[in-house]
Amino acid sequence: MSARIALYPGSFDPPTLGHLDVLAGGLALADSVVVAIGVHAEKKALFSFEERKALVEAAARDRLGAQADRVSVIAFRNLTVQAARAAGATLMLRGLRSATDLDYEMQLAGMNLGLAPDIRTILVPASPLARPITATLVRQIASMGGDVSPFVPALVADALKAKFDPQKNREANS
């Protein structure tokens, strides 16, 4: 029997505790999970692909222990179903936080099924503590000097603090 591989696509800018929650759920369903970080020229990311990859890998090791050996990280620039095929995945992993997410994810799952009938979307409900977390809100809080530690791993909080540190940014621009 071949290994069951799940692709978990997203921007992961930055990786949050919500992302890790869904990743852990995916590892309960698949032999391995490929975290596929979308890299698009028209979208300006706060962290580079290399930074996001390092943050995901370190956070997975820290939070998931030995399970992290079943996680790999890639970049993708094309359709997620194309990335899934390239990774050998037969499952696409998506997280759900709310009913709004469900409506969108059902549409996306239907379109992806039409494009790739051999790849099934698995929707993983976020745990109650992870439901309000979004990377967008985390970036906004961090950019205004707020404490993001309840929403991200410590190493991500440190990376965000470094990105938004006014003193560091002043020195870099002088």
Side-chain angles (χ1 to χ4, degrees), residues 27-83:
L27 288 169
L29 300 168
D31 298 310
S32 65
V33 175
V34 177
V35 174
I37 297 175
V39 179
H40 305 286
E42 66 276 2
K43 281 183 84 175
K44 177 69 176 128
L46 178 62
F47 291 99
S48 70
F49 164 73
E50 291 78 15
E51 289 171 319
R52 289 180 279 168
K53 180 180 188 219
L55 289 170
V56 167
E57 290 171 340
R61 281 191 307 275
D62 184 52
R63 289 283 184 166
L64 304 173
Q67 297 278 22
D69 293 342
R70 298 171 37 215
V71 176
S72 59
V73 182
I74 63 168
F76 77 100
R77 292 171 176 78
N78 51 359
L79 294 172
T80 55
V81 293
Q82 292 169 327

Side-chain angles (χ1 to χ4, degrees), residues 108-128:
L108 194 58
M111 295 298 285
N112 284 335
L113 188 61
L115 292 169
D118 53 322
I119 300 171
R120 304 299 284 193
T121 298
I122 304 296
L123 303 175
V124 178
S127 65

